[in-house]
Amino acid sequence: MNPDPQAPRPDDRQAESIPAGRERRIPPPEQVRGAVVARRGQVEHSTTDQRLLDTRSPSGFVHGDPWRVMRIQSEFVEGFGLLAELPRAVTVFGSARIPPDDPVYALGRRLGAALAAAGFAVITGGGPGAMEAVNRGAQEAGGLSVGLGIELPYEQRLNDWVDLGVSFRYFFVRKTMFVKYAEAFVILPGGFGTLDELFEALTLVQTGKVTRFPVVLVGTEYWSGLVDWLRASALPAKLIKESDLQILSVTDDVDEAVRIVVAGTAGHGEPARPEVREP
C-alpha cells in the first residue's frame, strides 16, 4: 500500500520541532593543517607534503626548506608528546570509503570493541569509513580511541568517535606514530593508503626494524587475491621467502584476529630492560 503523499515525513516533523534560528547547518568544507583548521575559502588545494615533494616548485621554495625541517621536527615532538603515555595499543587500518551500512563497517565496529575488551587502545587514521567504525567500537566498549589525521587536499576531519586525536601535515611523520605506539597492525579492506601502510609494516618486520609485531588481515575474500599473488609470483621468483609470508595472518573472525594479536604481543608489557648506551 502506498503511503499518503500528504502525510508529513519523519524529516519534516523533525524540522518542525527545531526552533526558528536553530536549523541544522550543512558543515562547510574543512581542512586540517596541523593545529590549524581552515574552512570555506581558506581551504587550500594542495598539501604540505605535496609542496615539499614537488620538484617543479619555484627556486624560492628551496631556500625555505631549512625552516620546513623545523616544522617537521615540531610534528614529531607534538606526536611523541601526545602519545608517549598511551596504554598498550593496536593500529587498525582500513578504507575511508566504507559506508555505515557496509558489512565491513559492522566488522570494524566489532573489531574495535573486541580490542578494547582485550585491554588495547585502538589507533586509526581518524577518518571516516572503516576507521570511524573501529574508533566507534572501541569507544562504545569503554576503550581508548585514538585518531591520527592527515592534511589532505579534500575535506576530511577526525571522526566523532576519536577520544584523543592529532592531525599531521606529513605522511612520514604520521606513519612513524602508527608504528611506534602500536604493538600490532590489523588491516581491514582498503585501497592505496591501506596497502601502503600494510607493506610498510611487512617491510619493517621483514627487515627486523620491529620485532614481535603481528600483522593480521581481516577479510579473506578481499585479501586472498593479494596473498595468492605473493605466493604464486613473488615467492617462486625468490623475491621473498616462505618465512616472509609467515608474517601475515588472514582471518574473517574478529575473535581470532584478537587472539593472534594477544599471542603475538605476549611479553610486551614486561618492564623495560636498562638502557645500554652506545659507545
Side-chain angles (χ1 to χ4, degrees), residues 35-55:
V36 176
V37 176
R39 291 175 174 162
R40 301 182 186 84
Q42 299 303 309
V43 173
E44 297 179 352
H45 297 290
S46 64
T47 66
T48 310
D49 258 338
Q50 179 183 345
R51 293 190 291 274
L52 171 67
L53 299 175
D54 191 353
T55 58

Side-chain angles (χ1 to χ4, degrees), residues 2 15 29 46 50 56 61 72 96 99 119 126 155 168 210 213-214 244 262 266 273:
N2 294 329
S46 64
Q50 179 183 345
R56 298 170 297 175
F61 177 88
I72 293 168
E155 179 182 357
F168 296 93
V210 296
F213 201 92
D244 295 331
V262 170
R273 297 179 181 178

Side-chain angles (χ1 to χ4, degrees), residues 12-34:
D12 294 334
R13 289 192 294 268
Q14 185 177 22
E16 290 171 2
S17 65
I18 300 175
R22 297 184 61 184
E23 294 83 0
R24 293 182 180 177
R25 299 174 58 196
I26 298 175
E30 179 178 298
Q31 181 184 50
V32 177
R33 301 198 294 268

Side-chain angles (χ1 to χ4, degrees), residues 151-169:
E151 173 189 330
L152 294 173
Y154 47 85
E155 179 182 357
Q156 182 165 309
R157 55 184 289 275
L158 292 177
N159 67 68
D160 293 335
W161 301 95
V162 168
D163 297 319
L164 184 66
V166 60
S167 291
F168 296 93
R169 293 182 176 91

Side-chain angles (χ1 to χ4, degrees), residues 51-95:
R51 293 190 291 274
L52 171 67
L53 299 175
D54 191 353
T55 58
R56 298 170 297 175
S57 57
S59 59
F61 177 88
V62 176
H63 302 296
D65 279 355
W67 181 85
R68 285 182 171 85
V69 171
M70 300 300 294
R71 175 182 278 181
I72 293 168
Q73 180 182 6
S74 72
E75 288 212 343
F76 276 112
V77 171
E78 185 174 10
F80 291 158
L82 180 69
L83 303 174
E85 297 184 359
L86 278 186
R88 302 181 67 188
V90 173
T91 293
V92 183
F93 296 115
S95 175

